[in-house]
């Protein structure tokens, strides 16, 4: 993991098309602005994980209705 120090108003560039800017700094929070092409999906991690779990359950339900089964992950925490 790359760890960088930035101040309010400073940015980080990822490739040529993604800019992450520090918008505000509070006691326990940092506000981040992200500029990216419209084709790039941006989610908070907890939202992304909820979507992934819902999609996995939908796939399992669909396969179950067809008499098939999606394999369950072998390790805890992996879905």
């Amino acid at each position: 993991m790359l760890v960088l120090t930035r101040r309010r108003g400073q940015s980080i560039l990822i490739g040529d098309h993604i800019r992450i800017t520090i918008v505000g700094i509070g006691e326990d929070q940092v506000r981040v602005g992200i500029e990216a092409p419209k084709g790039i999906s941006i989610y908070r991690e907890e939202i992304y994980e909820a979507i992934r779990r819902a999609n996995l359950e939908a796939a399992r339900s669909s396969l179950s209705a067809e008499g098939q089964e999606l394999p369950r992950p072998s390790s805890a925490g992996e879905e």
Side-chain angles (χ1 to χ4, degrees):
M1 175 188 305
L2 174 64
V3 177
L4 301 172
T5 301
R6 300 278 73 204
R7 298 188 196 296
R8 182 178 300 126
Q10 293 182 322
S11 298
I12 298 166
L13 300 175
I14 299 175
D16 294 330
H17 304 290
I18 300 173
R19 177 186 306 264
I20 299 173
T21 302
I22 305 305
V23 177
I25 302 170
E27 269 188 44
D28 292 336
Q29 293 183 340
V30 175
R31 293 186 67 205
V32 177
I34 303 170
E35 297 174 55
K38 289 186 180 194
I40 303 278
S41 298
I42 301 171
Y43 300 101
R44 296 187 330 238
E45 183 177 20
E46 63 274 16
I47 300 298
Y48 178 83
E49 288 301 321
I51 292 168
R52 189 181 67 78
R53 282 191 303 273
N55 287 340
L56 188 58
E57 281 306 312
R60 283 193 177 120
S61 294
S62 177
L63 288 175
S64 178
E66 296 174 6
Q68 301 176 28
E69 190 172 314
L70 196 63
R72 298 246 178 221
S74 57
S75 322
E78 291 181 23
E79 290 188 37

